[in-house]
Amino acid sequence: MALSVATQAGPRVVLSARGLGKDFSGFTAVNGVDLDVHHSRIHALIGPNGAGKTTVFNLLTKFLQPTRGQITLLGQDITHTRPDKVARMGLVRSFQISAIFPHLTVRENVKVALQRPAGLATQFWLPLSSLDRLDARADELIEKLGLSRWRDYRAADLSYGRKRVLEIATTLALDPAVLLLDEPMAGMGQEDVAMVADIIRDVASERAVLMVEHNLSVVADICHHVTVLQRGEIIATGDYATVSADPRVRTAYMGSEA
Amino acid sequence: MAAKSEPIATEQVAAHPRAGQVRLVLLVIALAALLAAPLFLYPIFLMKLLAFALFASAFNLLLGYTGLLSFGHAAFFGGAAYFTAHAVKVWGWSPEAGILLGVLGAAALGLVMGAIAIRRQGIYFAMITLALSQMFFFFCLQAPFTHGEDGIQSVPRGHLFGVIDLNQPLNMYYFVLAVFVIGLLIIWRFVNSPFGMILKSIRENESRAISLGYSVQHYKLGAFVMSAALAGLAGGVKALIFQFATLTDVTWQMSGEVILMTLLGGIGTLFGPIVGSGLVVTLQNVLATSDFPVTIITGLVFMVCVLLFRRGIVGEFCATKLGKMLGFRTEN
């Protein structure tokens, strides 16, 4: 990939959507959404419940097919690409409910993600020990995210916060160019929130991050850019200060906060 | 399911350090029993047990390890029986070549049926496989080479590799036993392989597997074809055991029977389908000579199973303290 153009004025756009829209049998869930996600930047997508944030995520990752509009990932049109292909191209998402493999151990969870890039996913004739050579890389990621103590635990037995951290570890195993996080801090204790915020800030130095998040202090703290969605349409976009000063945003969303 | 398995996890019983040795001893005993069995029991009955055990194990590879409920596996079992019988009887092929044709034919059928059905989930997948297998049943009813209601009769067993005379009951028995063991080893390796790991992750959380870049349809199709091929292996062997390929083996009742065998023994366990098929086949054989209707008894057994031990016989054993101490695992 041609990464040499990265050092032009301002970070380059890695994921963009133009006029994105989705209808569900007559009901317009998302309409006219334009979005640019930049390399090494954290972009927040906020809005009241039912604003269409998760739908936008599903559209961008192609888990849903958009009714209108166009999506470009790293310069390539992915409007009609299958979701697994999109993931292989470097756009990897997390889910609102923690997406882990519950009966696998923490290490196995991470290794499942490592198997495909390592070309060790289709061999049905090899023993499981052929996956041992992924251990070092998996343990490195597990340590980076502070999960070493729980390495051999079944994922189902982890606390909620650690499940989310494991999910991020699994996602990072793919070394994606764009990371989409759907409410990464929902349901977490204050301590875990700070830790995950640090992790996200850290991983965003080498990639783009788009996240849906309700915790506005986190958004204010770590996000470079904020887009506010209401009833499926963008009502404001810019840095946190600009957006939070916007009267429409204040009435629509932040009423009590502002 | 997930909510139910939580408390089990908290009272986890660690496997005994020597559990591996105990399991190895049990395995050796089982193998020795199978080697000695024809000295005490009717070889044809034993071979029937082994053929159905392999069939059920092949089915379990799909249901237990991929979570796909196929209601059309009779097409692969009975279809392969026809292919093998025809090749051996009409074309004069050797038994090993005939069985290989059965396996390849079943795999090809599996590829076609799987490619059509695999995009659907749950009950829709089951219904499409049922519909396709019924189409195959009518094909077998009409096609000249199957001889319709008569089936392909007096199929010669021939000489294995041109040397071993399979008309000798003991030779045939040990051949079937070898095929059975090889079939189980293939299943075991398939489940415990990099591919098996991805299958497991797809069953645990399909959306997540997609978001990690896995084209889950291809993996499911791979498992479907492997399951069909192994069901074909069982079917081809069965045709040689009974020297007969029949419409009975492609009916939907046969598809139902293999589901019953697998559930009874315990899905997602390596030995469950073997125990389940052994129980069903034995029941059928015992009841065949009595006035009692077989289907009512197997139906009652199935109801008891569903009501009292949902994990199946082997599944329930694995969940006991003794089972856990021996380090037996279930996939559910």
Side-chain angles (χ1 to χ4, degrees), chain B residues 52-71:
Chain B
F52 275 98
L54 182 56
F55 181 30
S57 299
F59 176 78
N60 181 48
L61 177 63
L62 193 64
L63 179 61
Y65 296 98
T66 320
L68 290 172
L69 174 63
S70 159
F71 213 100

Side-chain angles (χ1 to χ4, degrees), chain B residues 263-280:
Chain B
L263 290 180
L264 204 56
I267 56 170
T269 62
L270 197 58
F271 295 105
I274 301 171
V275 172
S277 62
L279 193 69
V280 172

Side-chain angles (χ1 to χ4, degrees), chain A residues 104 194 242:
Chain A
L104 304 187
T242 319

Side-chain angles (χ1 to χ4, degrees), chain A residues 84 87-88 92-93 99-103 112 115-116 120-128 130 154 157 167 171, chain B residues 5-6 9 189-190 192-195 197-198 200-201 204-205 207-215 219 226:
Chain A
D84 52 296
R88 289 197 291 277
V92 180
R93 69 173 297 183
I100 51 161
F101 304 116
H103 292 89
V112 164
Q115 273 181 251
R116 189 183 49 74
L120 268 173
T122 54
Q123 290 86 343
F124 58 83
W125 56 90
L126 289 181
L128 271 182
S130 62
R154 286 198 329 175
D157 298 337
E167 193 186 340
T171 309
Chain B
S5 61
E6 289 280 345
R189 167 55 74 232
F190 192 82
N192 296 293
S193 70
F195 187 92
M197 198 70 191
I198 305 303
K200 196 171 174 183
S201 71
E204 296 244 309
N205 193 334
S207 303
R208 182 53 172 167
I210 296 173
S211 79
L212 292 179
Y214 292 106
S215 45
Y219 286 86
M226 182 54 106

Side-chain angles (χ1 to χ4, degrees), chain A residues 221-240:
Chain A
D221 198 26
I222 68 171
C223 295
H224 304 96
H225 199 96
V226 181
T227 295
V228 188
L229 218 54
Q230 189 194 16
R231 296 200 190 99
E233 296 185 19
I234 292 175
I235 55 169
T237 186
D239 61 24
Y240 186 80

Side-chain angles (χ1 to χ4, degrees), chain A:
Chain A
M1 291 229 176
L3 294 172
S4 50
V5 283
T7 46
Q8 287 173 356
R12 72 203 151 91
V13 174
V14 284
L15 173 68
S16 82
R18 286 291 169 271
L20 203 57
K22 178 71 183 173
D23 299 339
F24 293 108
S25 51
F27 168 71
T28 302
V30 171
N31 196 27
V33 166
D34 294 338
L35 209 59
D36 282 317
V37 181
H38 297 82
H39 178 77
S40 73
R41 287 285 182 273
I42 304 175
H43 193 137
L45 194 58
I46 63 172
N49 283 326
K53 305 180 296 287
T54 298
T55 306
V56 169
F57 257 45
N58 285 333
L59 292 173
L60 290 174
T61 49
K62 300 309 311 304
F63 273 68
L64 281 176
Q65 181 59 36
T67 318
R68 290 172 298 281
Q70 192 186 18
I71 309 165
T72 315
L73 171 65
L74 300 167
Q76 279 181 284
D77 188 334
I78 57 160
T79 317
H80 299 283
T81 309
R82 282 184 298 133
D84 52 296
K85 177 88 192 299
V86 169
R88 289 197 291 277
M89 289 169 70
L91 173 60
V92 180
R93 69 173 297 183
S94 73
F95 292 82
Q96 211 169 64
I97 43 162
S98 67
I100 51 161
F101 304 116
H103 292 89
L104 304 187
T105 66
V106 166
R107 192 196 230 176
E108 284 170 338
N109 264 272
V110 177
K111 277 167 75 177
V112 164
L114 290 171
Q115 273 181 251
R116 189 183 49 74
L120 268 173
T122 54
Q123 290 86 343
F124 58 83
W125 56 90
L126 289 181
L128 271 182
S129 58
S130 62
L131 298 176
D132 286 354
R133 65 184 177 86
L134 304 178
D135 283 352
R137 175 76 184 123
D139 291 353
E140 198 181 301
L141 280 160
I142 289 166
E143 200 192 326
K144 185 176 173 187
L145 297 193
L147 287 173
S148 294
R149 250 190 75 193
W150 296 274
R151 192 186 76 187
D152 298 316
Y153 278 49
R154 286 198 329 175
D157 298 337
L158 295 181
S159 73
Y160 183 80
R162 290 198 191 95
K163 280 179 189 159
R164 303 304 310 242
V165 174
L166 171 60
E167 193 186 340
I168 295 174
T170 313
T171 309
L172 285 177
L174 296 179
D175 196 18
V178 191
L179 196 57
L180 265 59
L181 301 170
D182 200 351
E183 298 193 28
M185 284 121 179
M188 272 189 195
Q190 200 51 50
E191 204 181 281
D192 287 338
V193 167
M195 178 188 67
V196 173
D198 279 345
I199 290 170
I200 293 173
R201 207 194 324 246
D202 183 42
V203 302
S205 60
E206 301 151 27
R207 53 182 57 83
V209 174
L210 176 66
M211 59 192 268
V212 167
E213 186 50 56
H214 282 301
N215 189 329
L216 291 183
S217 63
V218 171
V219 170
D221 198 26
I222 68 171
C223 295
H224 304 96
H225 199 96
V226 181
T227 295
V228 188
L229 218 54
Q230 189 194 16
R231 296 200 190 99
E233 296 185 19
I234 292 175
I235 55 169
T237 186
D239 61 24
Y240 186 80
T242 319
V243 165
S244 57
D246 190 303
R248 278 189 304 172
V249 175
R250 294 167 77 109
T251 50
Y253 183 58
M254 299 181 188
S256 58
E257 306 262 346

